[in-house]
Amino acid sequence: MYGGYFTDVGNIKLGHAQDLEGGTGLSIILPDPGNTAGVDVRGGAPGTRETDLLNPLNQVSELSGLILSGGSAYGLEASSALMKILENEGIGFNVGVGVVPIISQAVLFDLAYKSSKARPNKAMTQKAYENANYEDKSQGLVGAGTGATVAKGLGPDHLMKSGLGQASIKRGDLVVSAIVAVNAFGDIYDYHKGLQIAGPTIDGKMVKTMDYLDQILGSFADIKPTNTTIGAVATNATFTKTELTKIAGMAHDGYARSINPVHTMMDGDTIFSLATNKIKADINLVGALAADVMSKAIANAIYSLGEIEN
């Protein structure tokens, strides 16, 4: 596995909760005040909340919290639950008569993994909030990765299990980190080793989705938008919301290196970006490192399950 964790940047808490029997979960990111955030949403089937607010043309640039979750659109309930928790803590955008917690969220489809009735809810959100800490090292079958699967083009009998991955890169005082729940339509590759590490299995042998793509798309009407890789990159460097939007876009190169095919109409791929604004760094360096560390986190989402040698 590749080293490091999302919270290595400092000033960010991370907590998880999951329903292992039902096959779903969520991960809550709680950046300290003074952060800035951006987002880049790609793919044809996203499920998100408060992403327009992070558009550089719009007003608010600081997040009170960020949620990655399963549950498809039902999972968006978790943001409302977290809003109430943070309001009680007095955390949020001051509007004079109180605070409005700014919560962004992205969801993935895991309703077909175990129970379609198991979804992130108020109780799960409360538990993840209570579990949040500055040194989280959770990976694999946890949080938003609980119900994640990959390589689903040939149907449920041929897919592989995935999970949640984390990684970080340090360059002197600079830290860039990533967290990702990998629920892709496509296959997964360890870009740095040049190896396919997840794909459809036929007669016990791993094959490549791209080799069957014509056949798969020939029955396009039978393909559902039941995928989506969702994640976030973070840095301790100082950036504006506009710059973080660019960094989030560059981080998608990590998806492209490690997921094939990616950003299809059956995926809703989303990457958030966070800055804790502690040091100065070049945007080109941080964007390039964001792509690199995201690629490593994707590989860790597979390696952390212990079924593939690494």
Side-chain angles (χ1 to χ4, degrees):
M1 288 183 62
Y2 295 100
Y5 302 95
F6 185 70
T7 56
D8 289 344
V9 296
N11 300 103
I12 294 178
K13 290 182 180 180
L14 175 62
H16 316 274
Q18 53 279 324
D19 175 357
L20 295 177
E21 183 177 350
T24 193
L26 80 166
S27 301
I28 291 179
I29 297 165
L30 299 169
D32 287 353
N35 70 83
T36 47
V39 68
D40 190 320
V41 182
R42 304 191 186 184
T48 58
R49 169 186 164 127
E50 293 283 34
T51 51
D52 281 351
L53 193 64
L54 296 181
N55 185 307
L57 296 176
N58 296 330
Q59 182 180 16
V60 176
S61 61
E62 179 176 326
L63 287 182
S64 308
L66 170 61
I67 299 176
L68 306 176
S69 85
S72 189
Y74 294 108
L76 293 171
E77 177 186 353
S79 285
S80 296
L82 184 58
M83 279 193 74
K84 293 186 181 301
I85 293 170
L86 294 182
E87 181 188 21
N88 290 337
E89 298 286 339
I91 298 171
F93 184 71
N94 191 329
V95 293
V97 294
V99 297
V100 178
I102 306 300
I103 312 296
S104 289
Q105 183 174 358
V107 299
L108 58 80
F109 184 95
D110 56 9
L111 301 181
Y113 173 56
K114 286 189 176 180
S115 170
S116 63
K117 300 299 183 182
R119 301 155 188 175
N121 53 25
K122 181 178 179 181
M124 191 180 292
T125 304
Q126 180 68 46
K127 186 174 181 61
Y129 179 77
E130 293 171 355
N131 288 339
N133 64 86
Y134 289 110
E135 297 180 348
D136 179 83
K137 295 178 172 60
S138 305
Q139 299 193 79
L141 196 65
V142 65
T146 301
T149 53
V150 296
K152 290 171 273 192
L154 294 179
D157 294 335
H158 304 282
L159 58 75
M160 288 184 66
K161 188 71 184 79
S162 181
L164 185 80
Q166 300 189 49
S168 71
I169 295 174
K170 297 181 180 180
R171 294 285 181 89
D173 293 332
L174 174 67
V175 183
V176 182
S177 64
I179 183 171
V180 63
V182 185
N183 194 56
F185 171 79
D187 308 336
I188 308 303
Y189 292 80
D190 184 331
Y191 166 78
H192 296 85
K193 296 180 180 178
L195 297 174
Q196 182 182 6
I197 58 176
T201 54
I202 298 178
D203 297 327
K205 180 181 178 182
M206 188 187 301
V207 298
K208 290 177 167 48
T209 294
M210 288 297 293
D211 291 342
Y212 294 85
L213 196 57
D214 291 349
Q215 171 187 328
I216 293 168
L217 297 181
S219 57
F220 185 83
D222 297 327
I223 302 176
K224 305 293 192 298
T226 57
N227 311 287
T228 290
T229 299
I230 53 177
V233 293
T235 180
N236 61 341
T238 301
F239 292 108
T240 66
K241 181 166 64 169
T242 300
E243 292 169 325
L244 285 168
T245 301
K246 177 61 177 178
I247 289 170
M250 293 178 73
H252 271 283
D253 292 345
Y255 279 15
R257 293 169 186 171
S258 298
I259 304 171
N260 190 29
V262 70
H263 300 144
T264 72
M265 293 299 291
M266 290 79 73
D267 292 286
D269 305 318
T270 299
I271 298 178
F272 294 93
S273 53
L274 288 165
T276 61
N277 301 313
K278 300 301 180 184
I279 67 169
K280 298 292 185 181
D282 184 273
I283 185 174
N284 299 291
L285 173 61
V286 173
L289 291 177
D292 195 43
V293 76
M294 179 57 76
S295 180
K296 291 178 177 179
I298 290 170
N300 282 349
I302 303 299
Y303 290 145
S304 59
L305 298 176
E307 298 177 5
I308 302 292
E309 292 186 5
N310 60 93

